[in-house]
Amino acid sequence: MTERASGPASGPESGQESRQESGPGADETPELPRLYERESAIGAARTAIDSLCRDFAAGGYQLGSVLLYSGTAGLGKTSMLQQVRKLAGTRGLTVLNGRAGEQRVNEPFYLLRQLLRPELLRLSGEEQRALLGDWWPVAGPAIGLLPPGGKAPDPQSVRDGLDYVVTQLAIRKAPLVMLVDDLQWADHESLSWLESFAKSCPELPVLLAIAWRSNELPEQAQAFRTLVAANAHRHLEFKGLQPAPVEKLVREVFPETAEDSFCRQVWAVTNGNPFLVNALLAKVRESGIDPVHENVPLLHDLAAEAQGMDREYWLTKLTVNTFNFAQAAALLGTQIAIPVATRITGLAPSAAAEAIAELRRHQVLNGPAEGPLEFVHPLLATALYKSIRPGMRTAMHGKAAVELENAGRPLVESSRHLLETHAEGDPEVVAKLRRAADEHLAVGAPEAAVRCLDRALAEPPEDEDRAEVIYELGCATLLTDPVSTVNQLRLALDTKGLRADLRVDATFRLSEVLAHSGRLVEAAEVTLAEAERTPPGPGRTRLQVAHFIWAAFQREEDDGPGRSARLAALCAELPGDDVYARAARALLAWDLTLRGESAAEALVLVDSVLTPEGRLSEGLEWTSTMWGLELPGIIGLTYVYADRLDRAEKLFEEAIMTFEVAGWGGGHLGFAHFLMGLAQFRRGALAEAEELLRKALRVAKGLGPGLPLQWDAVGVLADTLLARGRTEEAWKLATDYAFAPPYHPTAMVLPDAATLYGKLLLARQDHEGAAEVFTEVGGRLAERGWHNTIWAPWLGNLALAVLPADPERARELADEGLARAQAFGAASAVGTALRISAAVVEGQLAVERLREAARQLGRSPVGYEQAQVLVELGAALRKAGRLAEATEQLHQGMELAVECSADGLMVRAREELKASGLRPIRLRSTGQDALSKVEWRVAELTVAGLSEAVIADRLHVDVSLIERRLAAVLRKTGSTPEGLGAALGLPGERPETS
């Protein structure tokens, strides 16, 4: 949609594009410029505001909209925004105003602070904290309400926090009008947020009006271009005025003497641009030229002079002192502090006051008497800035940086001027740029930090500091640009002079980025190589532990048993209880788990890593930069596969909360959702697991294809869908992500990628294909010494795959799987192996094995496996003609299947119950609060150390009933009998049994 431009009716350089403070609709501009040929635009704005107010009053919430204005400079976009502001003010609406600045484009969150900060500063500190809620430490520094500090937040988390802040403002101040001007100069951070937020406007009582110069949007504004295309009916592209409005402008300046031909020529030489029309008319008046036909030939040169506004133009218009002050103001750009501009020019305060008065008379600057000042039109600021000679401009930027710092302004503000200075090898400049980079990172602006550190390297730093600056540059892009991080950290390691402690940290961070990018082999190699050249001590131990972390997650490994032996030797060398010894013990516990050795021993090791309260000890926290998130993740995974889901879930809940508070909302939070999804899958909370895993997958897709998080999320999500009976959906998911041989190098998932693919084939009745896959998996994992039947249940699944063709081999494989499960000792492993063992035999032997499987699984927190066994036991009993017993088992299995959201299993249970002539029973809830009085009593007696037989005798019931009650307690609490006391907060936790 095209609109002819409006023009101010008076004022030689009017346009009135000055920034207005936010407020509840108060229009602080006494008289707005008259607009020509803009009736439909004003009408559209009035309609949008009326609709916003009407729908909000009617109780609607999905009622927001956007208004988009574009055009070349001087066509009245800002005047249009002021009209929107005036219309909103007449309705008593709160209006937020933000205007980007050409000289502020390198200042992170500048536009956003203009938009939000004035309204937030109206609130008390307590009210601010209440409005921001949990986002206070993340979004507060970005808005400028808090000084930067703490760990660097993930930029996406900062954007999420800002979304929350604006949403809260919109709710409290509804309806809300937000005006954004000169978007083409928006800083990267504000633009990224605005592009995201604009999509949410229809869901909030907000009218968002944005103006920008045509063809000047930065390349990274692609998302905004998409928004414009989607709202074409709301987009007004301004054009120049027609001759008639230009004639009105001319006659307002020369009401008695302007001739028609003169008016037409003014329109011709300015293309109807309102700003240029008024600038030209001011030039005509200053030159003393009469607006008559004879002077028409002079207009072309006068227009060129007025449009060019070069150095000579300003020197003829202004005194030298005024010109110098105007240039200093242009250097500062917006929110011009009078004392700072005065000191940049070296003028006395009285001379500066005279200069300001002259600039006000010429309508170059406006604003309060005490400041800050603003340019009447950004074209004036641009022209004055360009009028500064290059050498002088550089020197003035250096002076501005000094004066802003002396005035107590934030380093983030003065650093943008340092970026424009000549490199002179000044160590003080390097130090300031490095501090500014730290502040940028602390508010979630890594791109700004990179600019500062790049400039610091160009200064350059002193030889002994160069490697450290390169290291800082690599760390600055850790969360946003892994390729750059890898290159910079490698360069830092290759540069002479990097301190020993930073060399260790650089190596670990390099390995971390490589691993998160799917390059696990490189991550393991780089840490091992650096460990071998590092002298004995904490640094070397840290690198050794890091090597074992990455090696444990590699898909392929040449010497798995040898690595396990070296890890055990390292643990033996670290007998103390410092952070390095605890980290090594955590890795050894995970190694024992993967090898399928004693779960009890693994639990002893991993318990020793936590505090007595079951929390991560110092140095092993989720946000620790010493180890990254993998080490606490390994601790939680050990609990997951050793049947201590209560402790695993506690750790994973802590991870989600910690990453949210720290503002690490990208891959870190995605990994935490994956881990919690895995724990819920193991527990049998399949619907909850699916939701969490899909969250993790969405994060992974946003980070890029082929990363480990993607494979992990897809793998467990497909397994979850299989458990829910949605085989074809699981198959499609696996197909969409190329989850088939040849496997992607990063496809090291939990469970193993090939194991999952085999399960999918088996679910689709492709026994031969599944057998081939499981045979390959078994050979590969056996070479590494990994025999855990839960993590990679290939043995049992291979038994099921070969059963139709070779029953004898199936029984051998099932027996081997059972032996390995018993060696590991986790009740869920033994119970699952018994279920598979029952599937390869018939008759009473199958019933007995299923009964034992149900007993074992009843001592574990894995609900879905238990439901599966109960349904299969009921089916086996029904086939044997034992309908009463079958009915009892099927009822329990049906109830559990419903609780687990295992739709496929529910269907099977219903069919079996129907065959028994019964209906399914109602759903019961899970969780500690869901325990019945009888279940609480059984739990208390179990914690007191009584066996099931003794409890049955004391309560005068059959022991089988106690076993079922205890199974329900363990399932609902996510614990084992040994951990039940801690899970329920009961004294006298049952002692460990060997």
Side-chain angles (χ1 to χ4, degrees):
M1 183 174 179
T2 298
E3 276 285 333
R4 289 291 171 182
S6 65
S10 62
E13 283 133 358
S14 58
Q16 299 298 316
E17 302 206 10
S18 60
R19 180 182 61 84
Q20 302 295 326
E21 294 297 318
S22 69
D27 193 320
E28 299 173 13
T29 304
E31 184 176 352
L32 294 180
R34 190 181 309 164
L35 297 178
Y36 292 101
E37 298 184 338
R38 194 57 58 78
E39 292 79 5
S40 63
I42 296 174
R46 181 180 291 109
T47 299
I49 290 173
D50 289 345
S51 176
L52 181 72
C53 296
R54 182 177 59 254
D55 291 349
F56 179 75
Y61 282 93
Q62 293 189 352
L63 39 82
S65 60
V66 295
L67 294 174
L68 306 170
Y69 306 116
S70 64
T72 56
L75 291 182
K77 301 179 295 296
T78 298
S79 297
M80 185 63 223
L81 288 181
Q82 289 180 338
Q83 290 291 335
V84 175
R85 173 182 172 81
K86 183 177 181 180
L87 291 170
T90 61
R91 302 297 298 270
L93 306 185
T94 298
V95 182
L96 307 183
N97 297 269
R99 183 176 185 180
E102 188 175 14
Q103 300 302 319
R104 302 277 191 162
V105 70
N106 286 330
E107 192 172 323
F109 297 110
Y110 175 76
L111 172 59
L112 177 125
R113 292 181 182 188
Q114 299 298 299
L115 193 64
L116 301 182
R117 199 162 180 269
E119 186 65 32
L120 291 172
L121 288 178
R122 298 173 186 271
L123 307 176
S124 67
E126 184 178 341
E127 289 172 326
Q128 291 172 11
R129 291 187 67 101
L131 187 140
L132 270 68
D134 291 339
W135 292 103
W136 172 255
V138 178
I143 301 171
L145 301 177
L146 275 177
K151 291 184 171 65
D154 177 17
Q156 181 57 54
S157 288
V158 176
R159 290 191 287 271
D160 292 342
L162 295 173
D163 282 348
Y164 178 84
V165 172
V166 177
T167 299
Q168 293 303 305
L169 271 178
I171 293 172
R172 295 187 181 205
K173 301 290 185 177
L176 186 67
V177 175
M178 300 173 65
L179 308 179
V180 176
D181 202 2
D182 286 330
L183 186 71
Q184 73 279 356
W185 292 326
D187 58 273
H188 169 77
E189 292 73 20
S190 296
L191 179 61
S192 297
W193 169 76
L194 191 62
E195 288 176 330
S196 172
F197 173 75
K199 301 174 185 177
S200 305
C201 278
E203 303 171 6
L204 295 170
V206 172
L207 173 63
L208 175 62
I210 305 175
W212 71 96
R213 288 188 188 175
S214 301
N215 303 318
E216 293 189 28
L217 287 176
E219 291 183 5
Q220 64 266 30
Q222 188 57 46
F224 183 76
R225 292 185 178 89
T226 303
L227 173 72
V228 172
N231 291 273
H233 61 294
R234 295 276 190 173
H235 176 209
L236 302 179
E237 176 71 26
F238 295 163
K239 301 296 181 184
L241 296 175
Q242 293 293 318
V246 172
E247 181 179 349
K248 289 182 180 179
L249 289 173
V250 176
R251 295 191 185 281
E252 286 178 355
V253 178
F254 303 105
E256 302 296 335
T257 57
E259 296 184 355
D260 292 346
S261 59
F262 188 90
C263 293
R264 284 194 299 272
Q265 188 62 15
V266 169
W267 171 78
V269 298
T270 61
N271 289 320
N273 185 300
F275 177 84
L276 297 180
V277 168
N278 286 288
L280 174 57
L281 294 176
K283 193 69 178 176
V284 169
R285 188 166 51 185
E286 290 171 5
S287 302
I289 297 172
D290 292 329
V292 295
H293 179 74
E294 295 85 67
N295 292 328
V296 163
L298 301 177
L299 288 176
H300 185 276
D301 290 340
L302 287 173
E305 186 178 340
Q307 185 172 357
M309 292 185 292
D310 57 11
R311 182 180 180 85
E312 287 68 28
Y313 170 85
W314 291 111
L315 285 172
T316 60
K317 189 178 182 72
L318 306 172
T319 64
V320 173
N321 281 351
T322 301
F323 180 48
N324 290 339
F325 188 92
Q327 287 182 323
L331 193 84
L332 295 173
T334 57
Q335 289 190 306
I336 303 155
I338 294 174
V340 174
T342 301
R343 286 193 290 270
I344 292 173
T345 59
L347 294 175
S350 59
E354 292 175 1
I356 294 170
E358 184 178 354
L359 291 168
R360 288 183 190 275
R361 285 196 303 274
H362 287 290
Q363 296 192 31
V364 174
L365 290 177
N366 61 16
E370 67 281 1
L373 302 175
E374 296 287 349
F375 280 92
V376 169
H377 197 287
L379 279 174
L380 301 173
T382 300
L384 282 161
Y385 183 77
K386 290 181 178 179
S387 74
I388 309 173
R389 292 190 173 99
M392 179 60 70
R393 187 186 303 164
T394 301
M396 289 178 69
H397 274 297
K399 179 70 170 171
V402 172
E403 295 302 340
L404 284 167
E405 189 173 1
N406 291 341
R409 301 300 300 165
L411 193 56
V412 66
E413 191 173 332
S414 61
S415 65
R416 68 181 175 90
H417 292 283
L418 292 177
L419 297 176
E420 305 298 332
T421 60
H422 285 310
E424 297 179 347
D426 187 341
E428 186 176 350
V429 171
V430 172
K432 289 179 180 179
L433 288 166
R434 291 172 71 181
R435 293 202 308 273
D438 286 341
E439 290 191 13
H440 290 324
L441 289 173
V443 299
E447 289 83 359
V450 169
R451 286 195 296 270
C452 289
L453 292 170
D454 276 335
R455 176 61 185 79
L457 286 172
E459 185 63 14
E462 295 182 308
D463 291 343
E464 60 267 28
D465 295 329
R466 182 172 179 79
E468 191 168 337
V469 176
I470 297 173
Y471 158 78
E472 291 170 359
L473 182 56
C475 294
T477 57
L478 197 63
L479 294 174
T480 58
D481 189 351
V483 174
S484 177
T485 296
V486 168
N487 292 337
Q488 295 295 344
L489 291 178
R490 287 193 189 278
L491 180 59
L493 289 168
D494 291 339
T495 301
K496 183 178 179 181
L498 190 62
R499 290 200 328 257
D501 60 325
L502 292 183
R503 187 171 185 87
V504 170
D505 195 63
T507 302
F508 177 78
R509 288 176 180 264
L510 172 60
S511 71
E512 190 176 29
V513 177
L514 289 170
H516 293 174
S517 301
R519 299 156 67 179
L520 287 158
V521 174
E522 289 181 69
E525 289 175 347
V526 73
T527 47
L528 179 61
E530 189 64 28
E532 290 175 346
R533 66 170 67 99
T534 302
R540 182 175 184 175
T541 303
R542 182 185 178 193
L543 293 174
Q544 288 174 315
V545 171
H547 164 71
F548 286 120
I549 291 175
W550 308 131
F553 286 102
Q554 291 174 205
R555 176 168 167 75
E556 305 289 347
E557 187 178 20
D558 293 334
D559 184 19
R563 177 187 54 79
S564 295
R566 292 190 295 274
L567 175 59
L570 177 64
C571 285
E573 294 171 7
L574 301 170
D577 199 39
D578 60 16
V579 66
Y580 304 100
R582 283 182 271 120
R585 290 202 300 274
L587 276 175
L588 184 58
W590 178 237
D591 189 63
L592 290 174
T593 301
L594 291 175
R595 284 155 48 196
E597 298 193 11
S598 171
E601 185 179 345
L603 284 173
V604 169
L605 283 170
V606 79
D607 283 346
S608 73
V609 171
L610 302 183
T611 66
E613 297 77 26
R615 301 180 64 85
L616 293 168
S617 53
E618 185 177 359
L620 301 180
E621 302 94 337
W622 288 103
T623 55
S624 169
T625 55
M626 177 175 287
W627 306 112
L629 55 79
E630 280 76 17
L631 197 58
I634 281 172
I635 294 170
L637 287 172
T638 302
Y639 282 127
V640 165
Y641 290 104
D643 286 355
R644 289 307 304 268
L645 294 178
D646 54 329
R647 292 197 171 180
E649 289 168 349
K650 182 178 179 181
L651 290 176
F652 300 155
E653 285 173 359
E654 180 183 341
I656 292 172
M657 181 184 68
T658 300
F659 291 145
E660 287 178 343
V661 170
W664 292 7
H668 291 79
L669 187 58
F671 184 65
H673 283 140
F674 159 72
L675 290 174
M676 182 61 84
L678 173 64
Q680 294 302 301
F681 168 72
R682 285 279 295 145
R683 178 189 279 275
L686 301 180
E688 293 84 351
E690 181 179 347
E691 180 181 358
L692 287 161
L693 294 166
R694 290 194 185 279
K695 280 185 181 179
L697 184 55
R698 283 194 295 271
V699 172
K701 289 169 67 177
L703 296 174
L707 299 181
L709 177 59
Q710 173 183 299
W711 293 103
D712 288 341
V714 170
V716 183
L717 178 56
D719 223 352
T720 302
L721 294 173
L722 283 177
R724 299 197 70 180
R726 290 147 61 182
T727 301
E728 291 309 309
E729 188 177 343
W731 178 263
K732 184 179 185 303
L733 177 71
T735 302
D736 289 345
Y737 287 91
F739 225 86
Y743 303 103
H744 193 280
T746 64
M748 179 62 189
V749 300
L750 303 167
D752 177 76
T755 303
L756 175 65
Y757 182 64
K759 290 175 71 174
L760 288 166
L761 292 175
L762 192 58
R764 290 167 63 91
Q765 303 300 311
D766 183 357
H767 291 81
E768 184 177 347
E772 183 179 345
V773 169
F774 290 130
T775 300
E776 182 275 326
V777 171
R780 175 167 51 82
L781 297 183
E783 289 178 1
R784 301 185 72 171
W786 289 359
H787 303 295
N788 189 298
T789 60
I790 309 175
W791 176 74
W794 67 272
L795 257 177
N797 283 291
L798 179 57
L800 297 176
V802 302
L803 179 61
D806 192 347
E808 184 59 33
R809 184 174 176 231
R811 286 188 285 273
E812 292 174 358
L813 290 167
D815 289 345
E816 183 181 353
L818 178 57
R820 290 183 178 179
Q822 290 170 333
F824 183 55
S828 65
V830 176
T832 301
L834 282 166
R835 176 181 62 79
I836 293 173
S837 179
V840 300
V841 297
E842 298 177 347
Q844 182 59 29
L845 181 57
V847 170
E848 291 174 0
R849 290 183 179 180
L850 286 170
R851 281 195 186 281
E852 180 59 19
R855 192 184 73 83
Q856 289 287 340
L857 291 169
R859 300 174 60 81
S860 78
V862 292
Y864 172 70
E865 282 289 341
Q866 187 178 357
Q868 197 173 12
V869 163
L870 290 172
V871 171
E872 291 185 8
L873 175 57
L877 289 168
R878 188 183 67 80
K879 290 178 182 178
R882 296 153 67 176
L883 294 182
E885 295 176 78
T887 298
E888 182 180 359
Q889 302 301 326
L890 288 170
H891 269 152
Q892 293 183 51
M894 179 62 188
E895 179 184 359
L896 264 181
V898 172
E899 289 178 4
C900 295
S901 301
D903 302 334
L905 189 58
M906 282 191 285
V907 169
R908 184 182 174 193
R910 285 179 188 278
E911 292 173 350
E912 293 290 344
L913 284 167
K914 184 178 180 181
S916 301
L918 295 171
R919 294 180 297 174
I921 56 176
R922 64 181 180 86
L923 168 67
R924 295 181 187 173
S925 57
T926 60
Q928 178 177 326
D929 294 339
L931 298 185
S932 66
K933 290 183 178 180
V934 174
E935 288 169 345
W936 264 106
R937 184 56 178 154
V938 170
E940 290 172 338
L941 295 174
T942 300
V943 170
L946 277 64
S947 68
E948 287 87 341
V950 173
I951 296 172
D953 184 63
R954 178 170 296 188
L955 298 182
H956 308 292
V957 296
D958 188 78
V959 70
S960 63
L961 179 59
I962 297 301
E963 291 175 351
R964 294 198 298 274
R965 296 298 187 196
L966 180 58
V969 169
L970 299 179
R971 185 181 70 257
K972 292 177 181 180
T973 59
S975 182
T976 62
E978 292 74 20
L980 190 55
L984 294 176
L986 297 173
E989 184 171 357
R990 182 172 175 167
E992 300 281 350
T993 58
S994 58

